[in-house]
Amino acid sequence: MKQFVNVIFISAVIALASCGGNKELQQDAKNIATAMCRNIETMNNLKAVDPADSVKVLQLRAKEKQAEVEMTILYQEFKAKYKDKVSDKKFSQEFAKELRKAMLDCPYLSKEDRASFEKDIDK
């Protein structure tokens, strides 16, 4: 379920993106990727935790909620920052590429997602 939320988040950010490839755009992509990576780490930890360890489960659920809030804030800030450029397809593509590049730094990315991102970057 949470991976679905990540996919929706990535899609929404990419769809709303629309400026030029520059250092500011790279930093925005890096900030979003960092938040997404932390969320992936938390989801992986939730999958691995013993369900009987209710304290650890609660801690991870709180961390998961915090990551969701952070991602929502980043999304809203990004949307406000680039609101006048939503229809610029070239920027959307550039941002998607920068986001994928930044996500490759995430050690918690699945092998399948990593391969997909690498393939998309090479296009």
Side-chain angles (χ1 to χ4, degrees), residues 49-110:
V49 72
D50 179 358
D53 188 351
S54 59
V55 173
K56 187 68 173 174
V57 170
L58 288 174
Q59 289 173 339
L60 289 169
R61 292 274 181 218
K63 193 173 179 180
E64 178 183 42
K65 182 65 175 170
Q66 180 182 359
E68 289 174 16
V69 169
E70 180 184 6
M71 287 173 37
T72 299
I73 291 168
L74 285 170
Y75 168 73
Q76 289 171 343
E77 289 172 349
F78 187 88
K79 183 179 171 183
K81 184 175 184 177
Y82 297 107
K83 68 180 178 218
D84 58 335
K85 302 171 186 174
V86 173
S87 61
D88 186 348
K89 184 177 178 181
K90 183 178 177 184
F91 175 77
S92 294
Q93 292 171 339
E94 181 65 24
F95 179 75
K97 187 173 184 176
E98 292 300 332
L99 183 60
R100 286 178 175 88
K101 282 182 190 177
M103 283 301 296
L104 291 176
D105 291 336
C106 179
Y108 309 105
L109 200 60
S110 71

Side-chain angles (χ1 to χ4, degrees), residues 30-45:
K30 184 177 179 180
N31 292 343
I32 291 169
T34 299
M36 292 169 60
C37 184
R38 279 195 301 270
N39 196 33
I40 292 170
E41 176 188 18
T42 301
M43 290 187 313
N44 289 346
N45 289 340

